[in-house]
Each structure stands twice: as C-alpha cells, then as structure tokens.
C-alpha cells in the first residue's frame, strides 16, 4: 500500500504517503476515511511532492474527517471544498508540531 497508517493517540490517526496510489489503493483509502468516524487525521506528506498527492487530496477532500496535512507544500485550492453540513475542516501546516497542535486545539496552532 502506498500509505502507512499508525495511531498518534486515542483521537488522531496518522496516514503517511509512501508512493503512487493505484485505483485499488484509492478504493481502500476511501474505505479507510469512511471508517474513521470520530477520529481526526494527520496526513504526513514529508518525503513526497505535491504533484504526487494534490489531485488525490482534492478528490478525497469531501469525505475527509478533520484533517491536518504537513510536509509537501500544496498548490492553492487543492483543499477547497463546497461548504456543507458533512464537510470537515482540512488545513495544511508547515510542520508536524503545528499540525498536531491544531488538531488538539492548542492555542499555539497556526495554519
């Protein structure tokens, strides 16, 4: 699989991108996101480029839980999604520390 999933704590799950995503991987990723009920997501794009991930992130954006992304810088508009009752906040951060602070609601979080 082109991503590794590990728990960060009881409420946050890390998903680290590790390679190109096939159609089958994409289906598994959609299932993973739908099964994350009540959890927040930390997406680690370090070691990759935004070219590898931007399109897939844009496609998955409407079903993502509250998500903090760090690592590769993303092009403007990739995380944009139409506002709806079902859409959760998704933000990009320069560092993992900033991303985790925002997910945990710590006052030092920026994005």
């Amino acid at each position: 699989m082109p991503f590794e999933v590990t728990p960060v704590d009881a409420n946050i799950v890390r998903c680290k991108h590790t390679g190109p995503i096939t159609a089958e991987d994409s289906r598994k990723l959609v299932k993973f996101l739908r099964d994350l009920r009540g959890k927040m997501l930390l997406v680690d794009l370090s070691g990759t480029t935004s070219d590898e991930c931007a399109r897939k992130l844009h496609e998955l954006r409407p079903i993502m839980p509250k998500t903090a992304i760090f690592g590769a810088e993303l092009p403007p508009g990739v995380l944009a999604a139409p506002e709806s009752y079902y859409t959760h906040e998704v933000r990009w951060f320069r560092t993992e520390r900033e991303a985790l602070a925002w997910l945990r609601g710590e006052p030092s979080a920026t994005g």
Side-chain angles (χ1 to χ4, degrees):
M1 287 248 264
F3 48 91
E4 297 170 1
V5 177
T6 54
V8 174
D9 60 32
N11 299 316
I12 300 171
V13 176
R14 173 193 312 269
C15 183
K16 179 167 177 49
H17 179 267
T18 59
I21 297 175
T22 66
E24 179 61 26
D25 295 328
S26 186
R27 286 188 285 279
K28 290 177 185 176
L29 195 51
V30 167
K31 182 180 178 338
F32 164 74
L33 290 173
R34 290 195 170 133
D35 290 344
L36 270 180
R37 292 183 187 98
K39 303 264 187 200
M40 293 176 282
L41 185 60
L42 177 68
V43 176
D44 181 351
L45 300 181
S46 57
T48 188
T49 66
S50 63
D51 294 342
E52 294 177 70
C53 307
R55 193 182 98 246
K56 187 53 60 186
L57 284 171
H58 185 70
E59 290 171 6
L60 296 172
R61 171 63 182 93
I63 63 170
M64 292 174 121
K66 182 175 181 181
T67 302
I69 301 169
F70 73 96
E73 204 160 324
L74 299 174
V78 167
L79 301 178
E83 297 260 343
S84 85
Y85 175 76
Y86 302 103
T87 304
H88 299 280
E89 196 169 3
V90 176
R91 295 169 104 190
W92 177 84
F93 296 86
R94 290 194 184 284
T95 68
E96 179 179 8
R97 184 185 58 74
E98 291 172 324
L100 281 170
W102 177 73
L103 286 174
R104 293 176 173 147
E106 296 172 2
S108 62
T110 60

